[in-house]
Amino acid sequence: MPELPEVETVRAGLSTILPGCKIVSVVSDNPKSFPNTQTDVDKFLIGSEVIAVRRRAKVLMIDLSSGYSLVIHLKMTGQLVYVGQQRFGSGHPNDSLISKLPDKSTRVDFGLEGISGADNQQARLFFNDQRKFGWVKLISTIDIPNIDFMQRVGPEPLGPDLSADILFTRLQRRKNTTIKAALLDQSVLAGIGNIYADESLWGAKIHPATLVKDLTKPQVSLLYKEIVFVLSLAIEQGGSSNSTYVDAMGKKGSYMNFARVFRREGQACPRCQTTIVKSRVATRGTHTCPSCQSTSG
DNA sequence: CACTTGACCTGTCCGC
DNA sequence: TGCGGACAGGTCAAGT
């Protein structure tokens, strides 16, 4: 999926568009994508107004005036795309993509109405998801912190609750596995996925197959800095688009122009010119420089 | 509890 | 051109 930078980009886009809009209709073709009862839809969704759009880890929350929120996980191929009147600060839409919506990947179709002044034109918000792993759930806003995922998920990597020391401590719960598996474990820290795991490990010159217990504190310190650097750069670039990811206006992200190893097998390492290789670590496709990322640490 | 693997889905690409 | 298998940015349940 969309990892933290992609979800954050979607959040930022939706937060310039949705607040103040009223949800007037919803249609879904797949109960796994939208597993809510008609009763809850009628009581807590239809007719309610969007108050705010938030993110925690890779989860989006659209808070509603009803006291409920649309809690959304994009998983691997989810998209949330707004189609309608342009709003201030939302940027220019990708017309060639949005003109084709809804399409066969559309799982949920929200009808929206602006409620402020003259801006009452009809608009739509599409939840598209080719692989149907993602979901949109109506959950009472005050209960969101109690759902299993929120109870388990670790600190935000760009927030005040994570530091090099805290990362070192939290990694100890996965000390007998590889650092890549540990970074992908959302209970250690939130928001890292396959792209940014490979990118930050390259930055810290750590091989992804290195066991956590073999990492020194200075190595973890450097890794923390690289995580912050990579995620911040990716947010600036609007995320990474390898295949399906687009933002709220249907536009692709440009981080892949800056990627050092991810999906660059066969190319030269930007640090030492050694050919980048692809292997399998933690059951995931993994990209490394065999020269400057040493397994032993 | 820590760790690994398979399952959830659809689409695409690669080799035969 | 068609077919089979591997693979794709994530998480969860079930296994050891």
Side-chain angles (χ1 to χ4, degrees):
Chain A
M1 122 164 160
E3 308 180 27
L4 186 153
E6 291 74 31
V7 180
E8 176 58 24
T9 301
V10 173
R11 184 210 63 75
L14 292 179
S15 74
T16 69
I17 297 166
L18 293 185
C21 285
K22 188 162 78 173
I23 302 194
V24 295
S25 66
V26 60
V27 179
S28 173
D29 75 335
N30 179 19
K32 289 191 174 173
S33 302
F34 191 72
N36 305 291
T37 65
Q38 192 62 49
T39 306
D40 281 359
V41 168
D42 291 341
K43 277 173 79 171
F44 303 119
L45 181 63
I46 304 301
S48 63
E49 181 186 334
V50 174
I51 303 296
V53 186
R54 296 180 291 140
R55 177 191 62 77
R56 171 77 170 99
K58 301 173 191 170
V59 175
L60 280 167
M61 293 157 279
I62 301 176
D63 296 331
L64 304 170
S65 57
S66 61
Y68 271 60
S69 302
L70 289 166
V71 180
I72 300 161
H73 203 307
L74 303 175
K75 291 288 179 85
M76 300 282 261
T77 55
Q79 305 174 331
L80 274 174
V81 182
Y82 172 84
V83 179
Q85 184 177 20
Q86 260 184 268
R87 293 188 164 236
F88 179 77
S90 59
H92 291 288
N94 175 356
D95 292 320
S96 66
L97 181 135
I98 68 174
S99 65
K100 300 189 182 103
L101 297 179
D103 66 13
K104 64 191 291 192
S105 77
T106 299
R107 307 298 169 208
V108 191
D109 176 351
F110 297 94
L112 307 172
E113 206 169 79
I115 62 168
S116 50
D119 181 24
N120 62 356
Q121 196 172 320
Q122 286 281 334
R124 315 269 280 277
L125 181 68
F126 295 109
F127 175 69
N128 303 325
D129 186 17
Q130 181 181 106
R131 290 174 73 180
K132 302 183 182 176
F133 290 170
W135 40 257
V136 178
K137 296 176 186 174
L138 261 176
I139 298 175
S140 165
T141 305
I142 59 166
D143 286 339
I144 291 173
N146 300 325
I147 66 178
D148 286 351
F149 179 87
M150 293 300 181
Q151 288 285 308
R152 270 199 318 270
V153 73
E156 288 291 321
L158 301 181
D161 297 333
L162 192 67
S163 65
D165 282 350
I166 294 171
L167 179 60
F168 187 86
T169 303
R170 296 188 69 83
L171 281 169
Q172 299 317 303
R173 71 176 68 192
R174 301 299 308 272
K175 59 185 160 66
N176 289 315
T177 193
T178 60
I179 184 61
K180 174 142 181 182
L183 289 180
L184 295 175
D185 180 343
Q186 300 297 294
S187 76
V188 173
L189 77 166
I192 307 271
N194 206 34
I195 299 175
Y196 303 111
D198 283 5
E199 288 289 291
S200 52
L201 286 165
W202 179 89
K205 301 186 182 180
I206 297 169
H207 194 283
T210 310
L211 295 180
V212 172
K213 64 183 173 192
D214 292 334
L215 290 174
T216 64
K217 236 178 170 177
Q219 281 183 301
V220 172
S221 220
L222 180 56
L223 177 58
Y224 168 72
K225 287 181 193 146
E226 291 298 324
I227 289 169
V228 170
F229 169 76
V230 163
L231 294 181
S232 303
L233 174 59
I235 290 170
E236 274 178 37
Q237 295 302 318
S240 302
S241 295
N242 288 305
S243 57
T244 59
Y245 168 73
V246 293
D247 70 10
M249 302 303 281
K251 290 188 290 193
K252 292 173 177 293
S254 52
Y255 176 83
M256 286 306 290
N257 296 334
F258 296 80
R260 287 83 51 91
V261 285
F262 192 81
R263 296 232 171 142
R264 292 200 182 278
E265 60 269 35
Q267 300 180 35
C269 169
R271 199 160 42 206
C272 74
Q273 315 309 316
T274 304
T275 302
I276 292 161
V277 299
K278 184 172 180 182
S279 63
R280 197 150 278 269
V281 177
T283 78
R284 310 294 300 276
T286 298
H287 311 76
T288 54
C289 169
S291 173
C292 57
Q293 289 173 272
S294 61
T295 305
S296 62

